[in-house]
C-alpha cells in the first residue's frame, strides 16, 4: 500500500490550527503508512452542533488529508464533554479503537 | 427474499411466462449494458426484490431482459428507451415506468403488489417524496454539465430507494471494509430494514455521491433521503438515543418469513 505524507503530528497540528482544538489524540492504525487514523478531537467549535455538523467541520478542516487516506475515524467532543467522559472512564477517554486488532485496522497491508 | 432472474433467450422467456400462475405480479426490467442508469436501476430493483418473500403460489416474479438482445420482447412491450419497467399480471400489462426514477418504480411495484391475492405485501413503505416526472430516456448526453445534473438526479433517487439506505463497500453478506462491516452489524443488531448499494461496483456513484453528499468517505447511511453520516455518527446517535432508527426496525412490522 502506498505511503502518504500524512502523519499523526501533521494531523494534530492541522486540527489545532484550523479547529482551535485544545486537545487532540491521533493514532495511525495502518502500521505507520499514514493510511488509517483514529482521532479524538476536543474543541469549543463543536459546541451547539450536532454530530453530523461536527464531523462536517472536521471534514472541511482536513479536506486534503482525508481525501488521501484510506480510513478515518473521529470522535468530536466539546471541552465539557471531554471532562465528563474523562471523569466517567477514569481518565480513559480516547480515540475509538473499535474494529481494530491491537490498534491496527484489519486488512491493511504493510 | 426474491431475486432477479436474467432471461437471455426467447425460449427461456416463453417458458417463464407460461410457468407463472395468473395471480403473480411479473416485474420485467429492460436494460442495456451501455446505459449507466440501468446499473442503478438494477440495484434499486434487487433491493426491492429482496423485500418480497418467495411464496407459494408465487406472488412476485422478477426478470431482467437486455432490450437489444431480445428485441422481439422489447417490441412486444413497446420498449423504446432504457431503463424500462413493465408490470404484468395474467398476461395483461398493468403499468410501465420509463426512466430511472427509483421512487416511481418503487411506488408502481408496491401498489400493484398489494393487488395480489396471495403472498405478503412488502413491509417497507415508500417515503412521501413526490417523484419528478422523468422525461430523460437514453443517457446519450455528452455535455459534462448536463451529465453531472443527470448523475445528481439519479443519486437523488438512489438515496431514496429505501427509507434507510446504506452505501457501503461490498455487500452486507460480504463487506469489503471494516467500517462497512461494523455498520452492517449495527443495523442487524437493531433489526433495521434497509436497502444497500455496493459502491465498489459503480465508480460513478462512488465518486458522485461523495460530491452530492459533501461527504468524503464510505460507508454512508441515509435515512428518508438525508445523510445521517458514517459509522462514527451512527454509533454516537445510538449512544445518545437508543430509539434511534427504531421506527425502521423490522420488529415494528409484520414480517413474512422468506
Amino acid at each position: 500500500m502506498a505511503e502518504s505524507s500524512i502523519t499523526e503530528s501533521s494531523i494534530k497540528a492541522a486540527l489545532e490550527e484550523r479547529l482551535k482544538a485544545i486537545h487532540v489524540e491521533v493514532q495511525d492504525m495502518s502500521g505507520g503508512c499514514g493510511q488509517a487514523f483514529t482521532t479524538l478531537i476536543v474543541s469549543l467549535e463543536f459546541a451547539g452542533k450536532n454530530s453530523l455538523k461536527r464531523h462536517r467541520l472536521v471534514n472541511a478542516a482536513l479536506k486534503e488529508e482525508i481525501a488521501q487516506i484510506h480510513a478515518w475515524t473521529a470522535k468530536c467532543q466539546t471541552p465539557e464533554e471531554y471532562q465528563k467522559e474523562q471523569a466517567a472512564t477514569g481518565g480513559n477517554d480516547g480515540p475509538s479503537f473499535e474494529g481494530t486488532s491491537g490498534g491496527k485496522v484489519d486488512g491493511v497491508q504493510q | 427474499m426474491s431475486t432477479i432472474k436474467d432471461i437471455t433467450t426467447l425460449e427461456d422467456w416463453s417458458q417463464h411466462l407460461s410457468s407463472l400462475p395468473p395471480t403473480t405480479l411479473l416485474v420485467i426490467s429492460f436494460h442495456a449494458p451501455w446505459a449507466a442508469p440501468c446499473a442503478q436501476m438494477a440495484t434499486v430493483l434487487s433491493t426491492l426484490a429482496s423485500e418480497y418473500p418467495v411464496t407459494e403460489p408465487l406472488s412476485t416474479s422478477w426478470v431482467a431482459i437486455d432490450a437489444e438482445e431480445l428485441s422481439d420482447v422489447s417490441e412486444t412491450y413497446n420498449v423504446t428507451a432504457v431503463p424500462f419497467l413493465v408490470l404484468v399480471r395474467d398476461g395483461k400489462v398493468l403499468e410501465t415506468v420509463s426512466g430511472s426514477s427509483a421512487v416511481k418504480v418503487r411506488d408502481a411495484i408496491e401498489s400493484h403488489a398489494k393487488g395480489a391475492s396471495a403472498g405478503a405485501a412488502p413491509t417497507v413503505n415508500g417515503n412521501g417524496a413526490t417523484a419528478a416526472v422523468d422525461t430523460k430516456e437514453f443517457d446519450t448526453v455528452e455535455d459534462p454539465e448536463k451529465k453531472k445534473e443527470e448523475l445528481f438526479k439519479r443519486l437523488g433517487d438512489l438515496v431514496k430507494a429505501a427509507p434507510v439506505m446504506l452505501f457501503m463497500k461490498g455487500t452486507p453478506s460480504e463487506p469489503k471494509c471494516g467500517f462497512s462491516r461494523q455498520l452492517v452489524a449495527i443495523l442487524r443488531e437493531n433489526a433495521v430494514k434497509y436497502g444497500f448499494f455496493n459502491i465498489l461496483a459503480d465508480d460513478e456513484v462512488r465518486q458522485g455521491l461523495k460530491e452530492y453528499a459533501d461527504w468524503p468517505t464510505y460507508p454512508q447511511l441515509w435515512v428518508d433521503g438525508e445523510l445521517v453520516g458514517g459509522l462514527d455518527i451512527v454509533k454516537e446517535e445510538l449512544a445518545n438515543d437508543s430509539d434511534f432508527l427504531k421506527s425502521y426496525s423490522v420488529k415494528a412490522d409484520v414480517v413474512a418469513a422468506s
Side-chain angles (χ1 to χ4, degrees), chain A residues 29 51-52 55-56 59 63 66 70-76 96 98-99 106, chain B residues 169 177-179 181-182 213-217 227-229 232-233 235-237:
Chain A
M29 296 190 291
S51 196
L52 184 64
H55 280 84
R56 281 205 189 279
N59 289 350
K63 196 166 177 170
I66 296 182
H70 176 78
W72 174 259
T73 300
K75 192 158 154 185
C76 310
S96 166
E98 262 182 73
D106 279 343
Chain B
K169 293 188 174 180
C177 133
F179 294 169
R181 183 179 301 113
Q182 285 182 66
D214 190 19
W215 191 261
T217 53
L227 176 67
V228 169
D232 300 352
I233 294 186
K235 288 202 286 204
E236 280 172 37
E237 298 280 7

Side-chain angles (χ1 to χ4, degrees), chain B residues 103 107 127-131 160:
Chain B
V103 176
D107 285 348
N127 58 55
T130 50
K160 295 193 192 103

Side-chain angles (χ1 to χ4, degrees), chain B residues 138-213:
Chain B
F138 287 97
D139 183 26
T140 53
V141 179
E142 298 293 349
D143 174 16
E145 261 300 318
K146 263 217 127 175
K147 256 207 134 154
K148 181 139 159 212
E149 222 177 272
E150 296 240 317
L151 174 59
F152 274 29
K153 186 170 179 306
R154 286 209 297 276
L155 291 174
D157 284 344
L158 197 56
V159 300
K160 295 193 192 103
V164 179
M165 267 303 282
L166 176 65
F167 291 83
M168 62 179 289
K169 293 188 174 180
T171 63
S173 43
E174 262 196 75
K176 296 286 186 201
C177 133
F179 294 169
S180 291
R181 183 179 301 113
Q182 285 182 66
L183 194 36
V184 164
I186 289 178
L187 293 173
R188 186 183 312 124
E189 274 157 29
N190 288 276
V192 174
K193 212 167 167 55
Y194 65 99
F196 74 90
F197 189 93
N198 177 3
I199 52 101
L200 293 179
D202 187 325
D203 207 56
E204 204 181 25
V205 170
R206 181 178 183 170
Q207 303 311 329
L209 189 59
K210 280 192 204 169
E211 210 187 313
Y212 182 82

Side-chain angles (χ1 to χ4, degrees), chain A residues 21-93:
Chain A
I22 58 165
H23 180 76
V24 177
E25 286 176 46
V26 185
Q27 176 91 2
D28 182 334
M29 296 190 291
S30 58
C33 291
Q35 279 295 330
F37 294 93
T38 180
T39 62
L40 166 64
I41 310 166
V42 185
S43 165
L44 266 169
E45 307 253 329
F46 293 141
K49 298 190 172 69
N50 69 15
S51 196
L52 184 64
K53 291 206 182 77
R54 293 184 186 190
H55 280 84
R56 281 205 189 279
L57 207 59
V58 173
N59 289 350
L62 291 176
K63 196 166 177 170
E64 310 284 321
E65 289 83 350
I66 296 182
Q68 291 178 56
I69 60 184
H70 176 78
W72 174 259
T73 300
K75 192 158 154 185
C76 310
Q77 292 181 321
T78 60
E80 205 185 313
E81 289 164 356
Y82 178 60
Q83 305 292 8
K84 253 195 229 159
E85 195 160 331
Q86 281 285 62
T89 58
N92 279 328
D93 185 18

